[in-house]
């Protein structure tokens, strides 16, 4: 940890203690050059977790969501900025669920957003996501639009 006052690279930890909730550690540090003391906090960074249908839990990967939505729009009229905004909107809804979200919820959220933006992209995503067993399912979806 660099000294925030003189930028000296070496600072010594003179005291460290857990916060009462146990979720962070507070450290008192002293700069070996200017002798000033300051406090740092150490916290674990938790990413969003996704629970798959199989029960398996994985870390949420934004790029995967982005790619999934992007491929649904392949060849359709949507620029990069619009795509990013759409994916970010979906991501915000997902994040509101807390630290763990079911993969079905992500799928449904993507679907409801795509439905608003572009029907073709919606059907493409739905056909992959819902793993339609035969063409009649697909026709049913189209009829419901
Ligand atoms: Zn210093």
């Amino acid at each position: 940890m660099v000294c925030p006052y003189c930028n000296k690279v070496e600072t010594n930890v003179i005291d460290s203690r857990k916060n009462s909730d146990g979720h962070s550690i507070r450290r008192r540090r002293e700069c070996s050059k200017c002798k000033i003391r300051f406090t740092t906090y150490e916290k674990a960074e938790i990413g969003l977790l996704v629970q798959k249908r199989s029960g398996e839990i994985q870390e949420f990967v934004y790029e995967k969501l982005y790619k999934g939505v992007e491929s649904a729009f392949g060849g359709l009229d949507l620029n990069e900025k619009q795509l990013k905004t759409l994916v970010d909107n979906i991501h915000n809804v997902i994040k509101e669920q807390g630290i763990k979200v079911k993969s079905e919820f992500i799928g449904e959220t993507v679907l409801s957003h795509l439905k608003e933006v572009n029907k073709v992209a919606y059907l493409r995503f739905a056909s992959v996501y819902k793993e339609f067993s035969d063409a009649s399912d697909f026709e049913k979806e189209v009829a419901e639009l």
Side-chain angles (χ1 to χ4, degrees):
M1 173 71 70
V2 174
C3 173
Y5 302 96
C6 72
N7 288 323
K8 173 132 177 95
V9 181
E10 282 154 63
T11 52
N12 307 314
V13 175
I14 51 173
D15 184 36
S16 59
R17 60 184 63 173
K18 261 185 217 162
N19 266 13
S20 53
D21 62 3
H23 292 300
S24 65
I25 292 174
R26 183 178 178 271
R27 294 189 203 282
R28 285 296 285 165
R29 290 175 184 268
E30 187 182 69
C31 174
S32 57
K33 188 179 158 206
C34 68
K35 300 289 175 198
I36 206 150
R37 291 184 176 187
F38 60 100
T39 307
T40 56
Y41 293 92
E42 188 178 295
K43 235 180 168 161
E45 194 175 78
I46 323 165
L48 184 66
L49 299 174
V50 181
Q51 183 164 24
K52 306 188 91 179
R53 266 181 259 220
S54 61
E56 190 194 337
I57 292 172
Q58 286 184 345
E59 205 175 334
F60 173 81
V61 182
Y62 179 88
E63 284 69 31
K64 258 164 104 175
L65 175 66
Y66 191 92
K67 289 269 173 233
V69 175
E70 187 184 36
S71 65
F73 278 98
L76 298 174
D77 192 27
L78 192 81
N79 66 41
E80 213 169 297
K81 195 166 169 253
Q82 289 170 312
L83 179 65
K84 178 91 171 55
T85 305
L86 176 63
V87 175
D88 285 346
N89 288 342
I90 296 168
H91 189 207
N92 286 337
V93 175
I94 295 168
K95 279 193 294 193
E96 282 167 14
Q97 294 300 300
I99 60 161
K100 195 162 81 182
V101 65
K102 288 202 159 91
S103 60
E104 289 98 315
F105 181 83
I106 297 178
E108 295 299 332
T109 306
V110 172
L111 284 174
S112 66
H113 279 76
L114 290 184
K115 206 168 187 171
E116 297 295 317
V117 178
N118 190 300
K119 298 279 188 271
V120 176
Y122 165 77
L123 282 173
R124 271 189 202 160
F125 190 84
S127 68
V128 177
Y129 170 68
K130 293 185 173 175
E131 294 163 327
F132 292 149
S133 49
D134 57 59
S136 68
D137 287 340
F138 196 75
E139 283 158 19
K140 217 179 92 211
E141 279 294 322
V142 176
E144 280 171 12
L145 285 177

